[in-house]
Amino acid sequence: MRKLYITLGLTLLLGMTACVADKATPKAETTPNAALTEQLAEGKELNTDNCTKCHTTSVYTKSDRKVKTLEVLTKRVKACNSKTGAGLEEEELEALTLFLNTEYYKFEK
């Protein structure tokens, strides 16, 4: 009977330790950096699948580019979505804008 109590006690202790360790370790999908990385990856994919059908990425780096602020970039992305009929949702437009700004434009937020 004593072995049974010791076994149950150890099992309970190990189970509690595992629960505490699990709660102490942040999950990748809940950390802000992971969410940002995911959003940037989505934006990159959207750029490849949509934007580069009409133009190369050189339009983002031209010295005489028309986009000079984050506000104008946001409007341009929405306008291109409408003109091309890409049908991107608001969340996708935000991911695309974030990617373009992070990768090419580097406007302050």
Side-chain angles (χ1 to χ4, degrees):
M1 190 71 158
R2 185 169 182 221
K3 285 183 180 180
L4 177 64
Y5 287 125
I6 291 172
T7 303
L8 287 173
L10 286 174
T11 303
L12 181 61
L13 181 63
L14 289 172
M16 288 174 37
T17 304
C19 287
V20 171
D22 187 47
K23 290 179 182 176
T25 306
K27 297 193 183 327
E29 63 269 12
T30 60
T31 62
N33 287 341
L36 179 63
T37 301
E38 187 177 307
Q39 193 176 17
L40 286 169
E42 179 185 9
K44 182 177 183 176
E45 185 176 331
L46 289 166
N47 180 62
T48 300
D49 293 347
N50 296 283
C51 305
T52 58
K53 287 181 179 178
C54 295
H55 56 77
T56 66
T57 58
S58 66
V59 299
Y60 309 139
T61 57
K62 293 188 324 184
S63 59
D64 64 338
R65 66 184 182 199
K66 297 176 183 176
V67 175
K68 305 230 187 258
T69 66
L70 183 57
E71 182 181 354
V72 173
L73 175 60
T74 302
K75 288 179 181 179
R76 177 61 59 105
V77 168
K78 288 180 180 182
C80 286
N81 183 49
S82 294
K83 286 181 186 178
T84 63
L88 301 180
E89 301 291 328
E90 188 63 34
E91 189 175 282
E92 293 171 311
L93 295 171
E94 289 172 10
L96 178 55
T97 303
L98 176 67
F99 167 73
L100 292 173
N101 189 46
T102 302
E103 186 70 20
Y104 298 104
Y105 293 97
K106 302 183 186 332
F107 298 128
E108 289 189 31
K109 297 171 187 166

